[in-house]
Amino acid sequence: MCGIAGLILKQGLVPDAALLQRMTAALAHRGPDGAGHHVAGNVALAHTRLAIIDLATGDQPLFAGPAALVGNGEVYNYRELRGENLFSCATGSDCEPPLHLFRRDGLAFADTLRGMYAFAIHDRVEREVVLARDPFGIKPLYTAEVEGGIAFASEPQALIAAGLVAPRVRAEARSELLQMQFTTGAETIFEGIRRVLPGESIAIAKGKVLERRQRTALPEGGPLPVSEEEALARFETAFRDSVDLHQRSDVPYGMFLSGGTDSAAVLAMMARLNESPVRAFTAGFDVPGAADERERAAVLARAAGARHETITVTEAEVWRHLPEIVAGMDDPAADYAIIPTWFLARRARETVKVVLSGEGGDEILGGYGRYRAAMRPWWLGGKAPRTRGAFDHLDVLRASPTGWRDGIAAAEAAAASSGRTRLMAAQALDMADWLPNDLLLKLDRCLMAHGVEGRTPFLDRAVAEAVFRLPDALKVRKGRGKWLLREWLARNFPAAEPHRPKQGFTVPIGAWIGHAGERLGPLVAAQPGVMEIAKPARVAALFKAASGKREGFAAWHLLFYALWHRRHVEGILPQGDTLEYLATR
């Protein structure tokens, strides 16, 4: 994990050193272990390093002949790439093989990579820069057309902090955020800042885009005729290989452990592959009656012989740190799971620098209840996902959001192709937007805030090839999702009790807001970003009623947006606790 940034200007223009330094400084939290620059003619590359692999010689930029590279993430199969291609490498860095592959294969260089990455490669002979992002969208990368050319960075706030882009909100993306908690597609919530799409490679020269190509994370085609035993064998092989690769590290690593099947599978495989006990971290809450995974996680940890640590996320701690947590979500995702994830990362950093987690298990193996609804025809109660927004029928916003499903509708049309079943199309839909723009964004920003690298072994090309095209009946059976994973756990880690009904992960945000609602509501209503879109009296009433499920969810979205807008649009740095920060003028 690192931060990258840079400029590709028109011929004859020279990158401003002070501007490059401002971008680098804005990304320092992503790479506290070092920084480097490469400036050649009209191109500048910057890198901030979180040292994970090749601690001695892995500083960036990396060079090979006329090419220079800065990268964020990890290429897990770097050893295999060296052996297969007989590259002569000057360092032990996992990012050097991609540089040699680029010199040989051009834009196709990423086709054989297994990992999470965002690269910028400058070819001084061709006078072009290639930007590339991994197919699952695990690592972020953003671009902006600026005066004289194109700028890029690992986070939008670096482009804003450098003065390259003004922080103006796109109304369409704001509606998506309020209604769905995340935004879709290439356009971000900031006017003029775009995402490099998952799997996209872009060639840029003289300040202009020359070519784009995209590699998908999921295999094409409909379900294959595979027996359950064959499917289990395929999954076992791919998953074992993926976890093994994801453990490659020159620094201590551990995992985030919930009581669910995804992290249970990661724990079981890590315990099998490691001689030393796995370090596992679990969060719980101080609200009576709230879903708390610590007891269940402790059972799993004991069964696997793991070194298990738990933390309690308290209401007081949440209000103290929430402005800081939301400030890290510059590309906003109002997922309340940012709260425990941030606190877990803070605790994990005391003993490890890398954590594995179960993100992607539901998407790749068919776990969500909405998938089962999508499988049914409409006359049997089937429905498309995300047809209802958080603010529907609440009479809080000044105007009903319009067009907030346009991005999801476009992704739905693209996902329902190549002979896919309804279930496969629903999975592909989530892989296109929900996963990279919510779950993985949350993991990236919350862990990077503490200098921790997050790894997701379910999101691996070999795992996707092994399980995505399985028959629906091996994913959903007897009204339960992730059937194949449950069967694998039943045989390999029965302590997980995998055929128990799925218990969703929830954060007691409604209860916390309910306790502070009378004070919070007027403060949120008075924020400039909220005043623009919502009725103050109705906002105050919403916060008073936040103990209700729908009201609590909507109140959280408004609170998140108020804190986000204050930091990333108004430019006010977090000071004090939540109430103090919102009250400061």
Side-chain angles (χ1 to χ4, degrees):
M1 292 270 199
C2 303
I4 65 173
L7 294 162
I8 309 109
L9 303 179
K10 295 175 183 176
Q11 205 66 33
L13 297 180
V14 178
D16 181 272
L19 189 151
L20 191 65
Q21 183 56 43
R22 289 197 296 273
M23 284 198 286
T24 306
L27 297 171
H29 60 284
R30 298 187 69 91
D33 298 330
H37 297 109
H38 162 73
V39 180
N42 62 325
V43 170
L45 308 181
H47 185 262
T48 63
R49 187 183 186 203
L50 179 66
I52 302 295
I53 290 175
D54 186 18
L55 307 186
T57 65
D59 290 340
Q60 296 185 24
L62 295 168
F63 298 92
L69 173 148
V70 291
N72 167 32
E74 303 289 352
V75 176
Y76 301 122
N77 63 332
Y78 68 101
R79 296 175 187 167
E80 290 76 7
L81 290 172
R82 290 182 185 205
E84 293 164 4
N85 297 280
L86 301 177
F87 292 135
S88 177
C89 292
T91 74
S93 171
D94 60 291
C95 289
E96 188 172 351
L99 182 55
H100 292 286
L101 286 169
F102 169 77
R103 294 190 64 201
R104 189 187 72 189
D105 301 333
L107 279 186
F109 81 100
D111 289 353
T112 56
L113 304 184
R114 290 176 67 180
M116 54 179 188
Y117 54 81
F119 291 131
I121 303 175
H122 178 208
D123 186 331
R124 295 193 301 278
V125 172
E126 298 297 329
R127 296 184 178 182
E128 71 177 24
V129 172
V130 168
L131 304 179
R133 190 179 179 201
D134 70 81
F136 292 98
I138 305 170
K139 291 294 97 198
L141 189 57
Y142 302 85
T143 64
E145 293 187 11
V146 299
E147 184 177 356
I150 292 175
F152 67 89
S154 292
E155 297 180 4
Q157 58 86 21
L159 300 169
I160 294 169
L164 291 165
V165 181
R168 290 190 292 268
V169 172
R170 287 180 57 246
E172 300 89 346
R174 180 180 59 202
S175 293
E176 288 183 325
L177 177 68
L178 292 172
Q179 290 285 71
M180 297 191 300
Q181 85 183 25
F182 65 97
T183 65
T184 66
E187 300 290 342
T188 70
I189 198 168
F190 295 109
E191 290 184 6
I193 299 180
R194 291 173 55 90
R195 301 179 179 108
V196 176
L197 291 171
E200 193 172 33
S201 296
I202 307 173
I204 305 170
K206 300 179 182 178
K208 293 183 179 180
V209 173
L210 302 180
E211 183 181 354
R212 295 177 186 268
R213 61 172 288 175
Q214 192 168 11
R215 183 164 63 96
T216 61
L218 300 174
E220 296 294 330
L224 298 171
V226 179
S227 70
E228 183 170 315
E229 290 303 317
E230 184 181 354
L232 284 165
R234 286 187 182 187
F235 173 73
E236 162 77 23
T237 299
F239 189 59
R240 184 188 190 284
D241 184 44
S242 180
V243 173
D244 192 29
L245 288 176
H246 280 71
Q247 291 185 149
R248 287 184 173 174
S249 172
D250 293 336
V251 296
Y253 56 84
M255 69 162 300
F256 286 165
L257 178 64
S258 70
T261 55
D262 299 332
S263 65
V266 174
L267 172 64
M269 190 57 78
M270 289 180 72
R272 186 196 302 182
L273 295 171
N274 284 271
E275 294 181 1
S276 302
V278 177
R279 290 182 177 270
F281 303 89
T282 305
F285 309 107
D286 67 342
V287 176
D292 197 320
E293 299 180 309
R294 285 174 293 184
E295 183 177 345
R296 183 75 201 135
V299 171
L300 299 177
R302 284 194 296 271
R307 295 177 61 181
H308 188 216
E309 299 182 41
T310 64
I311 63 168
T312 301
V313 179
T314 68
E315 182 174 349
E317 282 265 282
V318 170
W319 295 133
R320 184 177 303 118
H321 292 286
L322 190 59
E324 183 182 359
I325 296 171
V326 173
M329 304 298 297
D330 60 332
D331 187 357
D335 189 329
Y336 49 48
I338 62 174
I339 296 171
T341 304
W342 190 92
F343 284 105
L344 274 174
R346 186 179 70 168
R347 173 63 191 90
R349 188 61 176 86
E350 297 175 14
T351 50
V352 301
K353 210 170 180 178
V354 172
V355 291
L356 278 66
S357 69
E359 269 81 3
D362 280 301
E363 291 79 6
I364 205 77
L365 287 156
Y368 293 125
R370 60 177 174 265
Y371 294 162
R372 300 190 283 283
M375 291 171 71
R376 296 189 293 268
W378 66 268
W379 60 86
L380 292 177
K383 62 177 183 179
R386 299 186 177 88
T387 53
R388 184 180 185 183
F391 285 88
D392 287 0
H393 312 301
L394 287 179
D395 190 29
V396 172
L397 303 180
R398 295 185 185 276
S400 297
T402 58
W404 63 270
R405 274 202 98 255
D406 290 352
I408 284 291
E412 282 173 344
S417 63
S418 307
R420 289 172 176 166
T421 65
R422 285 191 178 98
L423 171 57
M424 295 173 75
Q427 291 176 268
L429 172 63
D430 273 353
M431 299 288 281
D433 275 305
W434 155 259
L435 193 68
N437 299 330
D438 186 309
L439 300 187
L440 297 175
L441 188 67
K442 166 208 70 180
L443 193 69
D444 175 81
R445 298 303 202 273
C446 291
L447 271 64
M448 283 281 84
H450 301 285
V452 178
E453 177 170 288
R455 298 181 175 182
T456 53
F458 281 106
L459 299 177
D460 174 77
R461 52 185 278 184
V463 175
E465 289 167 3
V467 302
F468 180 67
R469 295 185 65 191
L470 292 178
D472 287 358
L474 292 180
K475 299 174 185 175
V476 176
R477 190 181 298 179
K478 298 181 179 178
R480 294 180 185 168
K482 290 187 292 196
W483 179 264
L484 187 79
L485 184 63
R486 293 176 190 271
E487 280 296 294
W488 183 86
L489 283 167
R491 300 184 186 195
N492 293 276
F493 194 40
E497 299 182 72
H499 288 292
R500 297 166 69 233
K502 177 180 172 69
Q503 181 177 348
F505 177 73
T506 58
V507 175
I509 191 65
W512 290 330
I513 292 176
H515 297 160
E518 290 202 16
R519 291 177 296 163
L520 263 179
L523 288 172
V524 170
Q527 299 305 307
V530 176
M531 283 284 291
E532 182 183 359
I533 60 173
K535 307 170 186 176
R538 293 298 301 157
V539 172
L542 179 72
F543 274 76
K544 286 182 181 179
S547 56
K549 185 175 180 180
R550 285 206 66 211
E551 291 81 2
F553 196 55
W556 159 247
H557 281 199
L558 274 186
L559 173 59
F560 176 95
Y561 183 71
L563 293 169
W564 177 87
H565 190 278
R566 192 166 178 79
R567 170 62 188 93
H568 292 292
V569 178
E570 300 167 58
I572 302 172
L573 296 174
Q575 302 174 50
D577 66 18
T578 302
L579 293 171
E580 292 167 339
Y581 182 53
L582 291 173
T584 303
R585 289 290 178 264

